[in-house]
Amino acid sequence: MSARTARTRLLAATTVALAALALTACDNGKGVRDEGPSAASNSSSQPTASTADGGTTAKPAGETGGSTAAPKKTTTPGTTPAGTSGGSGSAGKNGGGTTTTRNPACNGANTKTTATEVSRPLNHLLLTVTNTGAKNCDLTGYPIARFGEAQSVPPVAESTHPQAVVTLTPGESGYAGVLLSAADGSGSNGYTAKTLVVGFAKGSSATPALPAKGVHVDDKLTVTYWQQSLDDALAY
């Protein structure tokens, strides 16, 4: 065998041995594997939960940090919202022909009441109430007039209701008219009364004197509401 042939066989044997070693390395699980994307690339795709050295948590998109909802406007019970005015209501009519007012009521304690028989209109009596106090008073409703021993009081003519409360300053007078009897004699159950008691909407009553001969009354007896003027009182 020549030296050239011996070298050729040795090279072939070496190549076979190297190939065998390579196959053995693949079978024992120690070869190179595809591990997929690196951890660094995975971590870079995730949103950061906190900022460095800040310790503040990131907020979702669209949320503004530190903002709060606008405070709701409230209205205190009994008040009106800004821009409106809450005026008080007009004086209301109270039962029995009286009206709620802001001044003390006129009555027998702070007024003087007189009864005067007038010539015109016929069969009429004029009641005059004068404020004798130091403050204004309100003369509300109508006179609750009781003539003599009568068990009832005359009705009021509703058509005479005043447009406003009658307020009397100190020394000022208010008025009411009394139709004593029918001028044409159509009334019945007539009698002569010599005493009169005048009651007010509130407070004590008054006992004005009647003419000495008394006054004739019948079932047409009617009173008006208290009026600011004498003419209005005698217009009924």
Side-chain angles (χ1 to χ4, degrees):
M1 179 184 301
S2 64
R4 184 175 181 178
T5 301
R7 283 196 303 271
T8 300
R9 290 182 177 180
L10 178 61
L11 180 60
T14 302
T15 300
V16 172
L18 290 174
L21 288 174
L23 289 175
T24 300
C26 289
D27 290 340
N28 63 12
K30 294 181 179 179
V32 179
R33 296 180 181 175
D34 184 3
E35 296 295 336
S38 65
S41 63
N42 282 341
S43 60
S44 63
S45 64
Q46 299 297 326
T48 303
S50 61
T51 58
D53 298 329
T56 59
T57 303
K59 297 181 180 293
E63 181 176 342
T64 305
S67 65
T68 58
K72 295 182 179 179
K73 293 182 179 179
T74 60
T75 303
T76 304
T79 61
T80 55
T84 62
S85 60
S88 59
S90 58
K93 189 174 178 181
N94 203 356
T98 64
T99 305
T100 54
T101 61
R102 288 183 290 182
N103 294 312
C106 298
N107 55 54
N110 56 9
T111 63
K112 179 182 179 180
T113 304
T114 61
T116 306
E117 193 172 15
V118 297
S119 58
R120 290 286 184 274
L122 292 176
N123 303 338
H124 273 68
L125 190 73
L126 176 67
L127 298 179
T128 303
V129 174
T130 304
N131 183 356
T132 58
K135 298 180 179 179
N136 293 355
C137 68
D138 290 333
L139 188 59
T140 60
Y142 52 87
I144 304 170
R146 190 178 300 277
F147 286 86
E149 301 300 322
Q151 300 299 311
S152 61
V153 296
V156 63
E158 289 296 338
S159 61
T160 65
H161 197 289
Q163 296 297 315
V165 174
V166 177
T167 299
L168 304 181
T169 60
E172 189 177 15
S173 298
Y175 309 90
V178 182
L179 172 62
L180 296 171
S181 59
D184 59 2
S186 60
S188 58
N189 302 317
Y191 64 95
T192 298
K194 292 187 176 183
T195 60
L196 171 63
V197 177
V198 176
F200 297 88
K202 293 180 181 179
S204 59
S205 59
T207 55
L210 292 176
K213 64 181 179 61
V215 293
H216 178 75
V217 299
D218 61 22
D219 56 8
K220 299 298 184 180
L221 183 63
T222 308
V223 300
T224 70
Y225 281 93
W226 293 113
Q227 306 292 328
Q228 198 79 54
S229 75
L230 182 152
D231 290 339
D232 289 341
L234 293 178
Y236 174 73

